[in-house]
Amino acid sequence: DGGITQSPKYLFRKEGQNVTLSCEQNLNHDAMYWYRQDPGQGLRLIYYSQIVNDFQKGDIAEGYSVSREKKESFPLTVTSAQKNPTAFYLCASSTQLFGSGYTIYFGEGSWLTVV
Amino acid sequence: AQSVAQPEDQVNVAEGNPLTVKCTYSVSGNPYLFWYVQYPNRGLQFLLKYITGDNLVKGSYGFEAEFNKSQTSFHLKKPSALVSDSALYFCAVRDAGAGSYQLTFGKGTKLSVIP
């Protein structure tokens, strides 16, 4: 089935650790995104990528990093510089970044908890 | 700048009754409008979108939404609510004329359908 796969579903991070969340899509989409979801705050954009080897900061990029070495993969690293990383992280993709009325599709999300 | 508001944090409706989840938006140009649904610990699922044309948009699972330009609203509706419709609903907007790539999401409305 076509879709967006995020792993792991649950991840625990110790203080000072970097952790990486995986995101893979087989929809042949060019654009990919990472969102952070906190209760009562909706979704906030962390990073986005229009094509391979290109990515841009979103609204809350501090403390996060990404790479886009392959079209289907867009991993997110939560670094120790992110002071409040406990949240639900959502990866998403769409056929293109610009253009009329594209739909963004989401993965199932990953919970990150600091312990 | 674009923005979206979901004025109700929670909506309660009896099973079998019609439901409405409200959304208002603000954009400088024409809007692209979207509704998503999120079940607990899951990603967002796309329900429907308005790009242009007919103001009444039909989507998945019997949901529909009406675009009202004069009231800058895009309310989600369903004629007869099911218990399984209980979830968190997000409205999102993108300004078609501003060259913006971003979807701006509302903070979500929790829908509870009471048996």
Side-chain angles (χ1 to χ4, degrees):
Chain A
D1 288 345
I4 303 169
T5 301
Q6 291 187 236
S7 63
K9 181 68 177 180
Y10 300 96
L11 186 60
F12 298 90
R13 192 194 91 169
K14 295 181 179 178
E15 295 284 349
Q17 270 188 339
N18 293 352
V19 293
T20 297
L21 306 179
S22 170
C23 178
E24 303 276 334
Q25 56 98 359
N26 60 3
L27 300 169
N28 199 32
H29 286 172
D30 285 320
M32 295 188 75
Y33 314 80
W34 274 104
Y35 288 89
R36 171 177 170 146
Q37 184 177 17
D38 296 281
Q41 293 195 40
L43 276 70
R44 293 182 288 171
L45 183 65
I46 304 172
Y47 268 97
Y48 65 98
S49 169
Q50 187 175 1
I51 56 173
V52 174
N53 293 323
D54 179 72
F55 48 84
Q56 303 296 329
K57 294 181 179 180
D59 298 324
I60 56 164
E62 185 175 353
Y64 299 97
S65 66
V66 295
S67 62
R68 187 87 187 275
E69 298 177 0
K70 299 186 294 182
K71 183 177 182 177
E72 58 271 23
S73 179
F74 192 42
L76 173 73
T77 296
V78 184
T79 75
S80 57
Q82 172 49 239
K83 297 307 179 187
N84 185 23
T86 296
F88 192 50
Y89 290 88
L90 289 158
C91 179
S93 70
S94 60
T95 53
Q96 57 184 7
L97 193 65
F98 296 99
S100 59
Y102 61 82
T103 298
I104 292 180
Y105 296 95
F106 288 83
E108 288 294 302
S110 293
W111 278 105
L112 174 62
T113 303
V114 173
V115 296
Chain B
Q2 60 192 37
S3 65
V4 61
Q6 294 182 240
E8 299 158 317
D9 291 336
Q10 178 145 0
V11 171
N12 297 322
V13 63
E15 185 177 22
N17 283 2
L19 68 87
T20 298
V21 182
K22 296 180 179 178
C23 172
T24 58
Y25 67 89
S26 175
V27 294
S28 57
N30 290 320
Y32 296 145
L33 293 155
F34 301 78
W35 275 104
Y36 289 85
V37 60
Q38 184 180 34
Y39 297 98
N41 293 326
R42 305 290 298 275
L44 275 66
Q45 295 179 30
F46 169 71
L47 281 178
L48 51 81
K49 67 181 179 183
Y50 171 81
I51 304 301
T52 186
D54 195 347
N55 289 343
L56 184 63
V57 179
K58 294 189 181 296
S60 305
Y61 312 119
F63 284 94
E64 59 188 27
E66 185 169 11
F67 171 64
N68 188 317
K69 188 171 184 177
S70 62
Q71 297 185 7
T72 61
S73 68
F74 189 56
H75 300 332
L76 181 70
K77 299 181 180 183
K78 188 174 182 181
S80 179
L82 301 172
V83 173
S84 58
D85 293 329
S86 298
L88 189 59
Y89 290 81
F90 289 96
C91 181
V93 68
R94 188 169 76 89
D95 189 334
S100 171
Y101 60 88
Q102 277 213 44
L103 270 185
T104 297
F105 287 84
K107 293 187 176 183
T109 298
K110 182 179 180 180
L111 173 68
S112 294
V113 180
I114 303 163

